């Protein structure tokens, strides 16, 4: 079976840094993806970690520790437009992503 | 062109109707996906086509019937749906089996009455 945990909601102020954690237990594991979804919108790809360590893409960074079955998404210099849902999604085979329940991020002025 | 398009945007259908959802991509991607997303829930995988062949069916009821006429097109045929099938249906594509990035379309919001 598959098990994923991420916080349901996070609130932060504009300009701050926020970290969204994800722990997983899956039947297979290729790597960990992160997707962003605004209300009424489509999920969009943010980041992928196939190996342990930190990946940085602009204001967003993602980290993976395979031995701990743990990853996080770090969002820096928060902007109002970052208010959205963030999903961690382990890739469990060549094609299959399992989406976590999502973390709703609210950025306040 | 890095876009996945889906039609229609909204669909209301009765339980006895037959309708189809359409998805198109022109990125040369060889894998295409159907997901179902209920309100405030994560996307759930339904089907995967790889190189125009159905490679994954996540035990989806037969009232949902996927079709991949060519490498750019993906259809989802709907028949005798139930009200609980009301959801956002998302199409996605990726380059292939080694690609971790999936590109999602805007979805079709389906209401079954």
């Amino acid at each position: 079976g598959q098990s994923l945990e991420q916080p349901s909601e996070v609130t932060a102020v504009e300009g701050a840094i926020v970290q969204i954690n994800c722990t997983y237990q899956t039947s297979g594991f290729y790597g960990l993806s992160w997707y962003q979804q605004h209300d009424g919108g489509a999920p969009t790809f943010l980041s992928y970690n196939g190996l342990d360590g930190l990946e940085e893409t602009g204001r967003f960074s993602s980290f993976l520790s395979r031995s701990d079955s743990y990853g996080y998404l770090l969002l820096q210099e928060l902007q109002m437009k970052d208010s959205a849902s963030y999903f961690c999604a382990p890739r469990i085979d060549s094609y299959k992503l399992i989406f976590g329940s999502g973390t709703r991020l609210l950025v306040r002025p | 062109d890095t876009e996945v398009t889906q039609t229609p945007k909204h669909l209301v259908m009765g339980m006895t109707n037959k309708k189809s959802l359409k998805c198109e991509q022109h990125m040369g991607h060889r894998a295409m996906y159907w997901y179902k997303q209920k309100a405030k829930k994560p996307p759930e995988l339904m089907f995967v086509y790889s190189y125009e062949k159905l490679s994954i069916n996540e035990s989806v009821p037969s009232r949902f019937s996927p079709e991949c006429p060519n490498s750019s097109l993906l259809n989802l045929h709907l028949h005798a749906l139930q009200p609980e099938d009301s959801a956002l249906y998302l199409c996605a594509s990726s380059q292939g089996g080694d690609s971790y990035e999936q590109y999602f379309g805007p979805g079709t919001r389906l209401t079954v009455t």
Side-chain angles (χ1 to χ4, degrees):
Chain A
Q2 329 288 358
S3 168
L4 286 151
E5 279 193 30
Q6 56 179 123
S8 58
E9 271 188 21
V10 173
T11 301
V13 295
E14 216 174 354
I17 299 172
V18 74
Q19 179 172 314
I20 299 173
N21 298 322
C22 173
T23 57
Y24 58 88
Q25 279 188 315
T26 55
S27 52
F29 186 78
Y30 282 36
L32 187 66
S33 300
W34 290 91
Y35 283 79
Q36 177 193 61
Q37 188 176 28
H38 287 96
D39 284 348
T44 55
F45 172 81
L46 290 178
S47 187
Y48 179 77
N49 294 74
L51 302 173
D52 282 4
L54 192 68
E55 291 284 338
E56 295 178 87
T57 312
R59 294 188 296 115
F60 295 170
S61 304
S62 59
F63 172 83
L64 175 65
S65 168
R66 283 173 172 260
S67 59
D68 295 321
S69 297
Y70 164 76
Y72 66 72
L73 179 70
L74 191 74
L75 298 87
Q76 302 183 75
E77 300 171 21
L78 281 174
Q79 301 175 7
M80 300 295 290
K81 67 179 181 181
D82 297 330
S83 292
S85 292
Y86 292 84
F87 295 95
C88 69
R91 184 172 168 232
I92 65 169
D93 69 22
S94 295
Y95 299 102
K96 217 165 169 178
L97 296 177
I98 303 294
F99 283 80
S101 55
T103 298
R104 197 167 178 85
L105 171 64
L106 177 62
V107 180
R108 296 210 161 133
Chain B
D1 183 1
T2 58
E3 194 181 36
V4 176
T5 59
Q6 290 188 244
T7 54
K9 285 188 177 177
H10 301 274
L11 179 62
V12 179
M13 62 185 289
M15 289 190 283
T16 58
N17 291 158
K18 283 185 183 180
K19 296 285 185 184
S20 296
L21 310 184
K22 184 177 172 180
C23 172
E24 197 164 1
Q25 57 88 12
H26 294 288
M27 295 178 277
H29 289 176
R30 303 317 300 261
M32 295 186 77
Y33 310 75
W34 280 115
Y35 287 85
K36 173 182 177 179
Q37 187 175 27
K38 301 278 266 184
K40 301 194 187 303
K41 295 289 186 185
E44 294 179 1
L45 184 65
M46 299 174 72
F47 302 103
V48 180
Y49 273 82
S50 172
Y51 294 86
E52 300 163 48
K53 288 192 169 58
L54 183 65
S55 61
I56 296 176
N57 175 343
E58 290 288 274
S59 304
V60 178
S62 60
R63 57 186 185 267
F64 296 91
S65 175
E67 178 197 19
C68 188
N70 60 55
S71 60
S72 301
L73 277 176
L74 187 66
N75 298 321
L76 186 63
H77 303 298
L78 314 172
H79 173 55
L81 294 193
Q82 304 297 309
E84 59 265 29
D85 296 322
S86 298
L88 181 68
Y89 287 84
L90 293 159
C91 174
S93 70
S94 68
Q95 284 187 339
D98 290 335
S99 174
Y100 50 77
E101 182 172 354
Q102 293 186 15
Y103 294 76
F104 283 80
T108 293
R109 189 158 299 281
L110 174 68
T111 303
V112 182
T113 61

